[in-house]
């Protein structure tokens, strides 16, 4: 009896031992994720994080290893051969080896997104022809991950447990019955593990459930694992309409994205020039950080500092997403990123307005410039869909005999910023006024290189990004010097912002809110209404750019935009919103409120720069802020799902 029982349990025991080995692999990958991003997570490794990580690892391990479990416990007598179990061994090692690799790759990608990667990443890079170079560069930079992966996969192979081949000692029906019973016994635990619990009220866990184990949204990335984030977002509906407000009238009374101008001044048809500077976070700009490092911080942007001295900025300014593909909809169409990048959702096929389309209807010439190949990042498609009549990319630069052609290509992404911004300025001189243009720079981007001739001028300092910021700042300065000589300069509104933020070396800029701090600089050479160099005590965000520009032009027709007109809105009514790892962050009234879609998770004073003191339940305006945020979310979801991104 004991021998028969041992034979019954043998495949099951081997399967369970090997699944425990998979848990070790996921734990190692989480520790690698933590250590490689230590500056973001140094205080984050708590018992709750480990407990949550175990829940999500269980789900991922069981989902990805279903083929292995079935192969091991398949109730077929004839499969009990060494060849069959060698196949099982290969399946197990390959599946869990791949899980390790994607987790390690995501550890390298985390500083750019502050979240785990989802399936939208495949759409984000589908038009890029340089992925091989990017992967090679990051592989060399993270060589220690390669070594770790080799060691762990080798350990998987050597430590794998194979069951004893005892089926021949049993009749076929006894063996098949035993393995069938093993499979039946395991099945409920597999289902419960995938769902996140045994209780019937438990819904299958999703990415947002990670927030119940952490105190700040950034830490949710440490709880999750990348295989889970990938398979859990396959084919899922991105936008789900909540029912916070049952009545459309009540919803619109709290918040509406439809702007009805009350301006009685005739429209002023000034040129509009928008510079979207890659990864140009607020942190790098000395003029916007006078109090940093006890007032000793100089920053890396002397040219942009001088522009700030001529224009208008805002005390607190934020981007509305963490990726380049989030920046364009936010800046040019006043659409923030909620849940997933707008580019990569079905809503991107909706009718979408933007600065370009609104002004094109008023007789403006419109053009978008990006020094990468046409189609890169999906920018060309979005530009065309939002009213840009012309698109100028790397191919167009190369075809212009006035410039250096592909000799100015950075070898990875695009034309270097210095020559491309000069090209941008020159092409605007060829355009008929009034015009609206936007340029998206590229040099302050992975792999963080600058032209050889500037490597001694801008040596390595601080973090790897700083030399790129200095180079791009120089290129922006040259652009404005050349633009100032043009006849169209005085009749132009310039807006300078970043698409998103990037790597940081100051604690504040690594917080949940600090990771969204982008500059918003408005410079109008002929402006007589505002004091040069004024920093207004307001909250600003990328989605405010469209309404603010329309207000400056005295645009008098209804238009759509989630943001506000900064110059015609009282300081106490300005606000910002962004989304991080399932948490909405709403900034207003001197506080930031964090909301998971169902309840408030935290409220912090903006003076609490490191977000260390949760004031939830103790802020008088918390209920009002929550109600306003719910209205913004519901308007967003309704309009995305019902194609209402226009008046």
């Amino acid at each position: 009896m004991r021998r028969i029982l041992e034979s019954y349990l043998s495949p099951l025991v081997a399967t369970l031992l090997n699944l425990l080995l998979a848990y070790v692999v996921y734990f190692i990958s989480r520790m690698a994720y933590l250590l490689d991003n230590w500056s973001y997570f140094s205080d984050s490794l708590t018992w709750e994080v480990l407990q949550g990580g175990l829940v999500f690892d269980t789900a991922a391990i069981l989902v990805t290893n279903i083929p292995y479990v079935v192969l091991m416990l398949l109730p077929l007598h004839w499969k009990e051969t060494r060849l069959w179990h060698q196949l099982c061994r290969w399946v197990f090692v390959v599946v869990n080896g791949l899980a390790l690799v994607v987790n390690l790759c995501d550890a390298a990608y985390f500083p750019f997104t502050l979240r785990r990667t989802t399936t939208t990443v495949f759409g984000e890079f589908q038009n890029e022809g340089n992925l091989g170079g990017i992967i090679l560069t990051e592989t060399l930079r993270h060589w220690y991950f390669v070594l770790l992966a080799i060691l762990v996969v080798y350990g998987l192979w050597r430590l794998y447990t194979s069951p004893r081949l005892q089926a021949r000692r049993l009749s076929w029906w006894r063996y098949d019955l035993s393995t069938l019973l093993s499979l039946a016994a395991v099945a409920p635990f597999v289902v419960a593990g995938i769902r996140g619990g045994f209780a019937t009220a438990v819904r299958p866990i999703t990415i947002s459930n990670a927030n119940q184990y952490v105190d700040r949204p950034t830490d949710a990335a440490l709880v999750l694992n990348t295989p889970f984030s990938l398979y859990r977002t396959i084919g899922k509906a991105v936008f789900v309409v909540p029912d916070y407000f049952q009545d459309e009238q009540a919803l619109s009374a709290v918040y509406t994205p439809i702007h009805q101008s009350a301006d009685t001044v005739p429209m002023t048809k000034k040129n509009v020039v928008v510079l979207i500077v890659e990864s140009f976070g607020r942190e790098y700009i000395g003029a916007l950080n006078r109090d940093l490092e006890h007032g000793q911080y100089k920053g890396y942007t002397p040219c942009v500092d001088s522009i700030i001295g001529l224009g208008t900025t805002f005390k607190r300014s934020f981007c509305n997403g963490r990726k380049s593909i989030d920046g364009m909809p936010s800046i040019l169409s006043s659409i923030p990123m909620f849940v997933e990048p707008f580019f990569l959702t079905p809503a991107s096929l909706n009718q979408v307005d933007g600065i370009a389309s609104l002004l094109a209807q008023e007789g403006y010439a419109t053009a978008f410039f990006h020094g990468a190949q046409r189609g890169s990042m999906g920018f060309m498609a979005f530009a065309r869909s939002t009213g840009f009549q012309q698109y100028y990319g790397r191919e167009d630069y190369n075809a212009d005999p006035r410039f250096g052609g592909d000799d100015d290509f950075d070898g990875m992404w695009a034309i270097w910023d210095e020559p491309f911004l000069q090209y941008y300025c020159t092409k605007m001189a060829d355009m008929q006024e009034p015009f609206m243009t936007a340029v998206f720079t590229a040099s302050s981007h992975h792999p963080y290189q600058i032209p050889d001739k500037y490597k001694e001028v801008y040596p390595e300092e601080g973090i790897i990004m700083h030399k790129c910021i200095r180079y791009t700042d120089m290129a922006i300065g040259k652009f404005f010097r050349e633009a100032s000589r043009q006849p169209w300069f005085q009749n132009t509104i310039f807006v300078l912002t970043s698409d998103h933020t990037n790597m940081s070396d100051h604690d504040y800029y690594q917080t949940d809110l600090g990771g969204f701090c982008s500059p918003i600089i408005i410079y109008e050479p002929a402006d007589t209404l505002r004091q040069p160099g004024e920093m207004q005590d307001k909250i600003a965000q990328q989605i405010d750019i469209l309404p603010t520009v329309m207000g400056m032009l005295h645009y008098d027709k209804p238009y759509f935009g989630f943001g506000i007109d900064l110059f015609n809105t009282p300081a106490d009514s300005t606000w910002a919103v962004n989304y991080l790892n399932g948490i909405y962050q709403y900034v207003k009234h001197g506080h930031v409120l964090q909301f998971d879609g169902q309840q408030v998770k935290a409220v912090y004073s903006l003076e609490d720069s490191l977000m260390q003191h949760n004031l939830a339940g103790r802020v008088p305006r918390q209920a009002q802020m929550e109600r306003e945020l719910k209205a913004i979310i519901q308007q967003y979801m309704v309009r995305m799902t019902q194609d209402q991104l226009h008046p």
Side-chain angles (χ1 to χ4, degrees), residues 511-575:
T511 64
D512 294 337
L513 187 60
F516 288 88
C517 288
S518 281
I520 296 178
I521 305 163
I522 299 175
Y523 171 41
E524 185 179 5
D527 182 19
T528 59
L529 298 177
R530 285 167 285 276
Q531 184 73 25
E534 179 185 10
M535 179 178 288
Q536 295 193 1
D537 188 13
K538 293 183 178 181
I539 297 166
Q541 56 186 326
Q542 289 172 332
I543 60 173
D544 295 338
I545 291 173
L546 185 153
T548 302
V549 168
M550 292 298 115
M552 294 174 73
L553 297 175
H554 304 287
Y555 184 78
D556 59 358
K557 297 181 178 67
Y559 65 90
F560 176 91
F562 283 100
I564 59 174
D565 179 350
L566 290 167
F567 291 143
N568 290 294
T569 302
D572 196 50
S573 297
T574 58
W575 52 273

Side-chain angles (χ1 to χ4, degrees), residues 6-18 68-69 71-74 79-90 92 159-169 175 179 182:
E6 184 181 40
S7 299
Y8 284 172
L9 296 178
S10 169
L12 178 60
V13 170
T15 301
L16 295 177
L17 288 174
N18 290 326
Y68 168 71
V69 172
L71 286 173
M72 285 289 287
L73 301 182
L74 200 64
K79 76 179 178 65
E80 282 299 293
T81 64
R82 293 189 185 278
L83 182 62
W84 182 273
H85 286 295
Q86 195 72 349
L87 170 65
C88 293
R89 185 179 198 170
W90 272 103
F92 177 80
L159 297 176
Y160 179 85
T161 301
S162 294
R164 290 183 293 276
L165 300 177
Q166 295 180 330
R168 294 171 188 159
R169 303 180 187 179
Y175 176 82
T179 52
S182 297

